[in-house]
Amino acid sequence: MGTATLTVDELHALLKPVIPLAASDDMFPSIAAVHIKAHGDYLTAAATDRFRAGIQRIRPADGVSDDFEALVNINDAKRLLAIHKPVRGKDSLPVTLSVDDGVLWSESTGGFGFDLGSARLGMLLVLGQFPNLAALFTAPIDSVDDPGDLLLDIALLAGFKSAAEVNRGDDRAPGLIMRKAGANKPVMIHAGEDFVGLIMQRKLDGKSECPADWVDSWRDHFGMNPVDRREKASA
């Protein structure tokens, strides 16, 4: 039976960044879920909807057993955050997660936003295999930055807002750093040191909303085209 003990604040830092990236369609139960797994000293949470993906990691102060792994339905992941809320003016309370016979047990003292003593909740784990996201990150991590254009879906990009906020640090505005791995390949996103994500590019072709000559058009708008500069120099 795998166990992990973390504070309420750590639980929120683990799940909030990836919950918006999970699939919402119950036709794909193995990705309408968050995959929580031990990885050395870290506890990771991963989610994907086939068009984007994210992995958040934390290092729980009280550690985590090597065999901890749970595939949690997205609604149950949200329920964990709703139940285990930070209590204003109090130290972050401990939460123990344990897996036993297909059930994720969540146990805490003084949860639910006020003191109820000890609370224990069981959630059925999702059956199925979560995708191997690690293989998808290899190309962008090893790539040399590609200066070419990329077209992203703003609605999909908005799903990374929580990751940016959770990982922004104490003195920085939320932000995301992106790296391309090549034309029409997933773009890697990272926020801080403990979140990495992927988002699919939209294909740039003749049918794209961006015409092929859009750069020249704006260069002309700002008087930057070589023809314009030569004409100004001879005037």
Side-chain angles (χ1 to χ4, degrees), residues 149 204-218:
D149 299 325
L204 276 166
D205 55 24
K207 298 179 181 179
S208 168
E209 293 86 344
C210 298
D213 61 349
W214 74 275
V215 174
D216 287 340
S217 174
W218 278 104

Side-chain angles (χ1 to χ4, degrees), residues 37-50:
K37 182 178 171 63
H39 188 90
D41 293 335
Y42 289 99
L43 189 63
T44 66
T48 181
D49 61 2
R50 297 181 298 158

Side-chain angles (χ1 to χ4, degrees), residues 5-129:
T5 300
L6 55 165
T7 66
V8 169
D9 288 344
E10 289 173 338
L11 180 66
H12 279 248
L14 179 69
L15 297 182
K16 272 186 176 180
V18 300
I19 282 176
L21 307 178
S24 58
D25 191 341
D26 289 337
M27 290 181 63
F28 303 98
S30 63
I31 61 172
V34 174
H35 186 225
I36 308 173
K37 182 178 171 63
H39 188 90
D41 293 335
Y42 289 99
L43 189 63
T44 66
T48 181
D49 61 2
R50 297 181 298 158
F51 302 102
R52 57 192 172 174
I55 303 174
Q56 175 71 42
R57 66 183 184 181
I58 64 168
R59 186 183 278 123
D62 292 334
V64 56
S65 61
D66 294 339
D67 58 344
F68 185 89
E69 183 174 5
L71 188 56
V72 183
N73 178 272
I74 186 61
N75 292 321
D76 286 336
K78 294 176 182 177
R79 194 170 294 119
L80 277 173
L81 296 187
I83 290 171
H84 301 292
K85 293 182 178 180
V87 179
R88 184 177 299 177
K90 291 188 177 182
D91 293 336
S92 190
L93 300 168
V95 178
T96 299
L97 302 178
S98 58
V99 175
D100 186 19
D101 197 22
V103 177
L104 175 69
W105 292 99
S106 163
E107 187 168 7
S108 67
T109 302
F112 300 91
F114 50 90
D115 193 357
L116 285 178
S118 179
R120 193 166 189 253
L121 177 69
M123 302 175 177
L124 289 175
L125 295 178
V126 175
L127 299 177
Q129 186 71 32

